Amino acid sequence: IDAVCFLSLYSFTQKYPPVKFLSEKDRKRILITGGAGFVGSHLTDKLMMDGHEVTVVDNFFTGRKRNVEHWIGHENFELINHDVVEPLYIEVDQIYHLASPASPPNYMYNPIKTLKTNTIGTLNMLGLAKRVGARLLLASTSEVYGDPEVHPQNEDYWGHVNPIGPRACYDEGKRVAETMCYAYMKQEGVEVRVARIFNTFGSRMHMNDGRVVSNFILQALQGEPLTVFLFLPSDLVNGLVSLMNNNISSPVNLGNPEEHTILEFAQLIKSLVVSRSHIQFLPEAQDDPQRRRPDIRKAKMLLGWEPVVPLEEGLNKTIQYFSRELEHQANNQYV
Ligand code: NAD
Ligand code: UDP
């Protein structure tokens, strides 16, 4: 379930994790932008192990070489340090376009850069897709629904986004990115897939990511009950690959419809970490969505997809990963 444990086990016994053999006709050349990030590196593992040729393009803003280092030197793998805001000329069959900061502190750090990445960066990747005839999957987000007035949200909902609020650089950036996908589809015949991803957590997620799971696990404290729906990279990665290889070009929600209040969540994490920290309530952040829950009937019906990893199992894995990271940091502090 969690490729990280599996992969670290392999690194003791052989140079690379096991890779399936694919005949030339089944083997694809796949570009993953943002492939050194949290979701992208799990997707890299799956596609590499499935036997494809994977090129990761990343500017290492929030991603890390460490997330994909176990593939470096493999003949099917390439890592390119490149910013998608600049044009890119390579030859590929499929593009998973994930490059974009994903958590509020990261995307608010430099809103103009976030806008450039999601607009110019997406335009460049669509230009690339058009030139080489590749299919492009955009990692869009539940944030396109903003602070939703309907609950749960299905793909037909147009959203409720404040265009000038602190989250707008990301929300509107992704909305334009979706618009661009459909403009390239209609005008240029580019094959596009759009996944609207709901909060995901797991190993390789940045500890200082600023989102709910990392905050809670690091005993940071958060306020007023909001509701969240979280799911795991293995579920998400399977959903993304399934969507890429299906014929549904309209947006598809990928998320976990199991709903928890933030308070329930804090309590659960506190008990799993066996922590003494108490829960403190702080004022809510501006434009924070109050409640969100994906309607995943479309993904279920058309892709046969739904999340399967139980919440506690995922949380325990993430807690283990964060403990190892904290240990790693402590050990490296004095060298
Ligand atoms: P992440 O920050 O771990 O990964 C994003 C990657 O993109 C990083 O490796 C970063 O260095 C890279 N990147 C950023 N700007 C770039 C640029 N200009 N050029 C090249 N690379 C660039 O985040 P993640 O959680 O893995 O998210 C991946 C994608 O999924 C993002 O597009 C995000 O918007 C989307 N998404 C994620 C979630 C979630 O809960 N994790 C939810 C909804 C949508
Ligand atoms: N582009 C790219 N790689 C390619 C082809 C295009 O990065 O292989 C970029 C190109 O620099 C341009 C953008 O994608 O800025 C849009 O390309 P498109 O061909 O759609 O538009 P045009 O170049 O005709 O304006």
Side-chain angles (χ1 to χ4, degrees), residues 5-56:
C5 302
F6 179 61
L7 292 173
S8 45
L9 195 71
Y10 261 93
S11 58
F12 287 116
T13 50
Q14 55 192 71
K15 198 161 176 224
Y16 298 106
V19 165
K20 245 193 250 166
F21 174 77
L22 276 188
S23 66
E24 209 153 300
K25 101 178 154 30
D26 295 322
R27 195 180 331 134
K28 295 203 163 60
R29 297 164 304 171
I30 302 177
L31 166 64
I32 307 179
T33 73
F38 158 53
V39 176
S41 62
H42 286 285
L43 183 61
T44 299
D45 289 346
K46 169 157 176 67
L47 295 171
M48 280 297 294
M49 293 202 253
D50 282 351
H52 297 291
E53 288 173 31
V54 175
T55 300
V56 164

Side-chain angles (χ1 to χ4, degrees), residues 87-89 123-124 127-128 130-131 184:
L88 175 71
Y89 292 90
L123 186 94
N124 282 335
L128 169 65
K130 172 183 131 186
R131 182 178 61 78
Y184 269 81

Side-chain angles (χ1 to χ4, degrees), residues 145-164:
Y145 300 128
D147 187 1
E149 303 132 305
V150 301
H151 191 79
Q153 298 78 47
N154 72 25
E155 292 84 351
D156 297 330
Y157 179 51
W158 288 357
H160 183 223
V161 172
N162 174 1
I164 56 169

Side-chain angles (χ1 to χ4, degrees), residues 257-313:
E258 196 185 314
E259 189 171 346
H260 298 274
T261 67
I262 291 285
L263 187 59
E264 275 166 22
F265 213 68
Q267 284 158 343
L268 178 60
I269 288 178
K270 195 163 131 66
S271 72
L272 292 176
V273 176
V274 197
S275 156
R276 277 173 300 150
S277 55
H278 55 266
I279 296 166
Q280 192 186 38
F281 294 88
L282 300 173
E284 64 180 290
Q286 190 195 335
D287 293 349
D288 230 8
Q290 292 299 305
R291 211 175 165 196
R292 220 189 260 137
R293 174 184 179 183
D295 178 337
I296 59 162
R297 281 177 297 180
K298 189 169 173 184
K300 247 189 202 167
M301 211 160 65
L302 299 178
L303 303 175
W305 176 90
E306 62 184 317
V308 293
V309 183
L311 177 68
E312 282 201 21
E313 186 179 319

Side-chain angles (χ1 to χ4, degrees), residues 223-243:
E224 275 302 288
L226 304 176
T227 44
V228 280
F229 325 92
L230 300 138
F231 72 125
L232 293 151
S234 54
D235 279 335
L236 173 57
V237 160
N238 290 335
L240 291 175
V241 173
S242 165
L243 177 59

